[in-house]
Amino acid sequence: MGKPIHILAVDDEESLTFFIKLNLQNDSRYDFKVTTANGGEEGLKLARSVKPDLILLDIMMPDMSGTEVAEKLLQDPRTKNIPIIFMTAVVQKDEVAEEGGIIGGREFIAKPVDRDELIGRIEATLNLRS
Amino acid sequence: MRNGAHDYIMKDNLSRLVPAIEREFEDTKSRIERKRVEQAFRDSEHRFRELFENMSNCVAIYEAQDDGRDFVIKNFNRAAEMTEKIDRKAIIGRSLLSIFPGVEDMGMLEVLQRVWKTGQAEQFPASFYRDGRISGWRENYVYKLPTGEIVALYNDITERKKAEMRIFESEEKYRLLVENSSEAIFILQDGMLKFVNNASLMLFDSSYEVLTSTPFAEFIHPDDREKVQAVHLKRLKGEKVDPFYNFRIAMKDGSVKWVEMHSTLVSWQGKPATLDFLSDITKRLESERTVRDISVIQNLVLDNSTLGIALLRDRKFVWVNKRMAEILKIPVEKLQGTATRLMYATEEAYAEVEKTAYRILAEDKKSDHIFQLVRGDGSLFWCRFLGKALNPDRPHDGSIWMYEDITEHKLAEEELEKTRKQLQEAYRLAHIGSWNWNFNKKTVIWSDEIKEILGMDIQTNIFSEDQHPVVYTEESWQKVKETVQKVLSTGENEQVEAEVVSSNGRNRWIHMVCNVMQDEAGQTIGLYGTAQDVTERRQAEEDLKQSEELFRRLFADHAAVKLLIDADTGNIVDANEAAAEFYGWSIEQIRRMNIKDVNTLSAAEVEQAMAKVVQDKRDQFEFRHRLADGSVRDVEVFTSNIQVKKKNLLHSIVHDVTERKKLEDALKENEEKYRLLVNNANDIIYTLNAKGQFIFVSPAWTTLLGHSTEQVIGKSFQEFVHPEDIPACEAYLKTVIERGKQQEGVEYRVRHQNNTWRWHLSIGTPLKNDAGEILGFTAIARDITERKKSENDLKESEERYRLLAENTTDVVWIIDARTFKHIYVSPSIERRSGYTREEYLKLLPQNILTPESTAKARQFFIESLQQAASGLPVECPSFEVEGIRKNGTKVWAELVYNLVYDSEGKVIAIQGSDRDITDRKQAEEKLREREAHYRLLADNTHDMVWMVQLPDFHYLYVSPSIERISGYSREEAMKMTPNDFLTPESARQSAEIFTRALKAARTGQPVEISSFEIEVLRKDGAYIWSEVSYSLVYDQSGKVVAIQGVNRDITERRKMYTELRKKNAELVAAYEELQKRQEMIIQQEKMASIGMLVAGIAHEIKNPLAIILQGINYLQTTAADNPLLNEVFERINKAVFRADVIVKGLLSYARQNPLLLAPHDLDILIDESLVLTEYEMHKKNLRVIKQYEQNLPPVSSDANQLKQVFVNLLVNGADAMSKGGTFTIATRQIIDKGGKKYVEISIKDT
């Protein structure tokens, strides 16, 4: 097994990141390590410092929007290759499905999302099952 | 082989050769046989192995182990290897469950166990296999080999399954599409609906059951059933029909919907049917119809406009209305597309308009011009045109112009100007100036005549307070001011004469007429009038007044008793103060008396005496007059006849001769006392001898002249007589002596003793002896100094009169009754004729008058002379003659004359006077000309001008335009009354109005004169509308005698007005419609904001839901063994999803926009879509080439939905393309065979 999969969960809803962390770290199949941030700026800072394997990024946040965070990450050579899954309450699940879960070339998860789907999407993105 | 025959040969062991050979043969035979069998077996095995290996089916051979709980993989062919992505070497001999752990879930294990146990082959239908490594759909056939091994023959059907799934998904998609389509979609077979979507239920407003159990025809409007069925049958037969057609469907509630149906022939459950799409186009049709109607209205309005209207683009007519074509006399079709240059007569005119008009248009102003343009037939006309740019930045891209043919107007204006000039000229000739004072403009306009009359250049208002001292005397200014105020307060015109101060001290008098100027509304906006120099006339009047005064005083203040008696009646017209004193009555009393009241003679005698005076036969009478105190006096009356206004007035001077009479009587009575009488006579009685020496002289000499008789007797008369008078006296003496009888007296001066001269009159008689021999001369001399003095007074008076006569402008003359040559003419002739008096007297009548006037004068004179000759009463009427001046110019005069009789009553001369009436004649002439001029105007006016007399309303005048207006000839009309032309309603109205006006005029109330409209019934039966404005005509006594008026044809105007009202109503309706739409839009916007609100709320709800879900997920892991807790979490889980579904539904409801159809420019929609996909384009560095067709018509569509389509197309295309690709977007308009217009949009990628 070796090195754990490091996930950075960014959402202004503190309870949500709390549960995501709990659920992911509780997973039996994969060894997830979850760092949480409760705002865009904090998320950006942590992404740069911890260099996670994947970022779960809420879009609508009061201080800095998820898209803005993503843009800044892309500009930074240290972080530009970190895969991002956006989370949003606005985009409908079926719309996500229709567009292949990708808008503007990014992964999307529509809130609310359950644990299995969340893990499934992380698996897919990080290609963990091959 | 090694133990074969050759071994023997080789080893020389021949003895054993035969058996060996035989054995060899046997061996060989069996060896060959074995080899053959072996070979056959090998071949067969090989063949099967190849078969097994190369079979397209996957084959797996298992052997049961562990009592069938697991199987060992015995063999696996290549296809199976490929399918399962596994090397058989790695798996043969290994457990099935360890290699393919998913077989149990798949159900395959169960099948294998069953076949192993029963030996019965089994078909295992398509099932999904999945493990951590692979997944896929498999279809198995499982059987048991006699060896007990189990063979699974199977196929990987994942692809097929996927395809099936795709089909299923696709089918689902279509189903959703159909179900959610806003169009009604259904399958029609055998006249029944076999399949209907939701929209169909809504469209037909029926349930699924009703729709599918009722013949479709029943839903079609009865009028359209036949048509729809015909098309349907044709389609079923496979004939070509238009896929789209419209018909009506009848709704349950009785209403009708228009639908558009699109049908395609399909096979439904093996039988032909049609797939039909039905859309409700009721609204669209309605709006189309409205658009069509509005366009008809527009065309109607534009084409019926009295203005030419044109749309210009790039100096060409793009569109024109009918009127424009009429104005230019070029057909509409020809005009459209033609350059505007053709309507300009010259290059300069065109350039001028080009230069100015478009500059004005570019400033977004209205461009207004009046130009002479040319019509299609080459004729010129005046046009006023007005333009407005559609887009001021590029005025040549489109401008709207309105053209008005104002030729008529212009001509009328010119005509008016001409008339005005003529009138001005007339004023100028008549020395009448005109002025115009406009309050609004605060200007006063003076014609040049006024400046000439006043001898000054007036720059300002001669009615203004600050100017008056310069213009008027103070007294006149007050008058002018009062007049202006009066005019303004009454509205009636007034006249005033004012004295104008002149710088040279000779003030002028002007006569001004002041009128109120009113605007159309009847508001006073100024004053206007004329001004005429009347200084000359006033001067003449003044002179006359003075002369009259002189005469009056001559009469009234004279010391002699004077009476003025009417010769016809004897009435005393006037008496002087002396008369009053003499008669004892006041002058007033005398004026009420008749001469017969005074004269003691009988009435007849008095009349006879008066007649004599009139006939100029006698002028001296002796009468006895009665005085107030009853006494009677002898009077000597000297009477002369004065003709005043053709009336004979006797001017009588009455001398009281009572005393003288008494003396005479006494003389007669007392002959004896003769000498005494002589001696005591007041007159001197004397006798001269032939030598002229006094022989006898009465004592009166002494009394009268102072000398004693002794001093006189014996002396020659010459010693006493004034030397100047001696010749006359000598001549008289000689005459008396020579003739031998009494002669009329001689007047002379004789010296008084005190050396003064006295006038004496001597009447002498020859003194004869009894033999008749003349001895001397006896005479009576009377002192006539007093008389002489009074005579001189008289002479002076005469001189004054003469001077008066000779100084008046009238010419006084006497002509010979036989030759008609002038005997006398007053000096005023010099000024009148230019001849000197002497020259004039030598002229013949024909030199003085025009031939016509000469003849006329002769005729009048001869007639009067003949009357006189035949003893008839003589009439001497005045008449007018035209004289010729010395310089050849002509002058009109009014002539008054009288016959002059000699003492025997024979006419010897004609005396008369004439007065220059040239000015009056000219004024009359002018008046006549003006009358003719106005008549000409009235006769030629477009409007109908008329005047009717009262009370019968017969036409006094009506202009010829009545023929145009009423269809009746002027002659016919003159026999009719105005009401005969009117419809009964209009006749009643008109009568009512006139009656009211006349009543007001009669009762002295203000007459309200306003115009009114009437309907005229023409002779040809047509009706036209006419506007009447009228005014009342008064005679001098202020009685209304006629009504005059003007009728104007306003049929067009009324028509226009009606049209306008109609249009207005339409506009109001359109406006209301607009308002309704606006409300709808507001409603929709409200919905949109509700949508946004919902989206916001959804977001706010979804975040907590996400938290709850994650929380439950966590808790679930902790309570794995507790079924009750699991149940609880499952229920919460479900509740969360339900909440999510509700929110989702709410969101999609909020996003569900109704189809918003509106005309849109597709190019713009595409461009807006491109903006939305900029990110994708940029990301892939894609290029876009736009090929938009110009001037595409707007397309009725929902902008948002169309944009969605474009965005999806572009995003999909962008995904499919490699970097640096190109999009080509083209739009064009296409028209199908049916004339339907479409816009085609193509988006091509690379």
Side-chain angles (χ1 to χ4, degrees), chain B residues 159 166 170 211 336 370 388 430 440 545 560 623 649 670 768 811 914 923 991 1053-1054 1102 1110 1146 1178:
Chain B
E159 286 310 311
R166 268 203 298 276
S170 156
L211 272 181
Q336 284 173 172
I370 292 180
K388 188 95 171 69
N440 296 344
K545 228 188 268 173
F623 294 124
L649 288 181
N670 199 350
K768 299 174 190 172
V811 175
D914 56 48
R1053 201 176 74 193
R1054 268 191 84 104
K1102 281 196 165 209
Q1110 286 292 324
L1146 207 58
H1178 180 72

Side-chain angles (χ1 to χ4, degrees), chain B residues 19 211 284 322 324 333 363 383 413 442 488 500 509 593 648 655 662 693 811 819 924 943 1021 1068 1072 1162 1171 1241:
Chain B
L211 272 181
R284 197 184 79 201
K322 240 192 258 168
M324 187 64 195
E333 309 74 50
E363 290 165 18
C383 188
E413 231 174 35
K442 296 194 170 71
L488 287 175
V500 178
W509 279 89
M593 293 165 75
N648 289 310
H655 290 285
K662 273 185 185 162
Q693 290 164 328
V811 175
T819 62
E924 269 175 25
D943 295 344
V1068 167
E1072 282 169 358
L1162 291 186
V1171 172
I1241 301 156

Side-chain angles (χ1 to χ4, degrees), chain B residues 727-772:
Chain B
C729 289
E730 281 176 342
Y732 182 75
L733 194 60
K734 203 177 155 198
T735 314
V736 170
I737 290 166
E738 278 174 4
R739 298 220 179 138
K741 59 178 188 183
Q742 188 180 333
Q743 297 288 317
E744 268 190 48
V746 61
E747 290 176 1
Y748 55 91
R749 280 161 288 181
V750 62
R751 192 198 314 268
H752 192 276
Q753 200 179 14
N754 63 10
N755 272 331
T756 62
W757 294 97
R758 309 290 292 181
W759 275 95
H760 278 206
L761 166 71
S762 275
I763 300 166
T765 314
L767 184 67
K768 299 174 190 172
N769 59 12
D770 294 343

